[in-house]
Amino acid sequence: AQSVSQHNHHVILSEAASLELGCNYSYGGTVNLFWYVQYPGQHLQLLLKYFSGDPLVKGIKGFEAEFIKSKFSFNLRKPSVQWSDTAEYFCAVKGAAGNKLTFGGGTRVLVKP
Amino acid sequence: GAGVSQSPRYKVAKRGQDVALRCDPISGHVSLFWYQQALGQGPEFLTYFQNEAQLDKSGLPSDRFFAERPEGSVSTLKIQRTQQEDSAVYLCASTRQRVTPWAEAFFGQGTRLTVV
């Protein structure tokens, strides 16, 4: 069975600080990896996704993530956060032939102005 | 519609009551998913439809949970004899095409169910 682990439950940082959120997964085959974001009061939205090719993936709003196969990791980064990045972030994995997403527990990020 | 719509947004049920949660996917989307998100946790898969066919219901936690999508568009998740442990946010998601690894899932805002 596949599983996803997000290392931090809560992160607090100031505007302009750099952000890195850890994500590790457990799955025996080819995986497809996702980061979703949920802003306060809104629905889950896709930030970025990885299927194949360049392991460094760029998404919306200046976010990027790096797939490191040897470490089973897919960490999310943003060089300089803004107050509007305050949200909950979810890492998710889907098997190559799969349909359903398996989510991590989420990381709540609070950016102080 | 513009997005996935779920109703009601909030539901309070007395223990033992039956509830029905509705999902209107994006028009024309073939695949529809239900997820359960307990407080402080990530969403967990419940069930999946392709058109009107329920192809995977492996995540339904008990036989009190039942989902249907009779005409391949609107879906209803029904929970019978609700228990306190059923309290959670129930999320619906849809994808435009049949399931492929790269298909982007669009989520609704969810229904927050509280069983008292």
Side-chain angles (χ1 to χ4, degrees), chain B residues 40-109:
Chain B
Q41 298 183 24
E44 292 191 0
F45 171 79
L46 292 177
T47 187
Y48 152 62
F49 290 85
Q50 184 174 296
N51 295 308
E52 69 279 2
Q54 189 174 19
L55 299 186
D56 186 346
K57 52 183 181 179
S58 61
L60 295 176
S62 78
D63 59 7
R64 295 186 296 104
F65 286 71
F66 172 75
E68 60 183 6
R69 195 186 184 199
E71 297 178 358
S73 56
V74 171
S75 177
T76 304
L77 176 68
K78 297 180 179 178
I79 309 174
Q80 297 177 323
R81 304 181 304 281
T82 51
Q83 303 294 317
Q84 282 193 314
E85 63 262 29
D86 300 334
S87 295
V89 175
Y90 290 85
L91 298 171
C92 178
S94 67
T95 66
R96 181 182 302 141
Q97 64 268 59
R98 294 181 180 184
V99 168
T100 58
W102 52 85
E104 179 177 347
F106 294 84
F107 283 82
Q109 288 192 283

Side-chain angles (χ1 to χ4, degrees), chain A residues 6-106:
Chain A
Q6 292 184 238
H7 310 304
N8 307 97
H9 294 295
H10 293 92
V11 171
I12 301 173
L13 59 168
S14 299
E15 277 193 311
S18 64
L19 173 69
E20 181 161 359
L21 302 182
C23 172
N24 284 89
Y25 66 91
S26 172
Y27 187 71
T30 302
V31 291
N32 303 289
L33 297 155
F34 306 79
W35 276 97
Y36 280 84
V37 61
Q38 187 168 26
Y39 299 103
Q42 296 190 27
H43 58 275
L44 278 167
Q45 302 173 45
L46 183 66
L47 261 184
L48 48 77
K49 56 189 177 185
Y50 171 81
F51 297 118
S52 63
D54 189 344
L56 185 61
V57 179
K58 295 193 183 298
I60 61 172
K61 304 186 180 187
F63 285 90
E64 64 179 30
E66 185 175 13
F67 171 51
I68 303 179
K69 189 175 181 180
S70 61
K71 293 185 178 180
F72 298 91
S73 70
F74 189 55
N75 293 353
L76 181 71
R77 297 194 292 254
K78 185 170 183 178
S80 176
V81 295
Q82 300 173 310
W83 175 77
S84 58
D85 293 321
T86 293
E88 189 160 17
Y89 294 80
F90 293 93
C91 181
V93 64
K94 187 193 294 186
N99 46 48
K100 59 193 175 191
L101 291 162
T102 298
F103 286 87

